[in-house]
Amino acid sequence: MKTFVRILAFALSVSLMPFSFAQDLPAGKGRETLKKVCTQCHDIEGVPQLRYSRADWASLVYSMKDMGADATKTELEEIIDYLAKNFGKDEAKK
Ligand code: HEC
């Protein structure tokens, strides 16, 4: 009986595992740049929860640049594109 419970608990934890990775960064152009540039000062775990318009993402990214983010303009634009595309406010998807 004890073994059965242990197997059940294990199976449950495995089947629940994908949920802990549910809020992740979707693949796409700009993802690696975001990870490289935006983790210089803090983690970016909260970013996938945010929904901003493109203009808001742009001002946020440029304010990070002002604070000292080490990135070229091209990299910043790439990050803004990525954020606006995947975490945009105007998008109909949930
Ligand atoms: C030079 C260090 C630095 C880098 C690099 C950096 N940040 Fe930040 N970030 C901060 C600091 C400091 C704060 C907290 C101060 C604040 O909220 O104004 C912050 C706060 C934030 C917040 C919360 C802001 C809010 O209004 O709640 C978000 C979202 C964020 N950063 C996203 C990013 C993204 C996206 C990038 C990559 C473009 C980035 N950060 C790169 C320093 C940095």
Side-chain angles (χ1 to χ4, degrees), residues 6-78:
R6 221 175 282 156
I7 289 168
L8 194 71
F10 177 71
L12 200 68
S13 70
V14 168
S15 65
L16 288 177
M17 216 133 62
F19 289 107
S20 42
F21 299 107
Q23 289 283 0
D24 208 356
L25 299 167
K29 189 173 185 291
R31 180 172 178 248
E32 296 313 311
T33 318
L34 172 80
K35 285 209 271 186
K36 185 184 82 178
V37 173
C38 305
T39 53
Q40 286 164 9
C41 306
H42 52 66
D43 67 46
I44 50 170
E45 275 165 28
V47 165
Q49 267 103 58
L50 299 170
R51 290 296 177 274
Y52 290 153
S53 67
R54 190 188 163 84
D56 288 344
W57 276 126
S59 67
L60 182 127
V61 166
Y62 278 104
S63 74
M64 297 300 147
K65 170 72 178 165
D66 287 343
M67 285 193 283
D70 182 19
T72 64
K73 184 150 197 312
T74 316
E75 285 176 320
L76 295 176
E77 289 298 325
E78 211 175 289

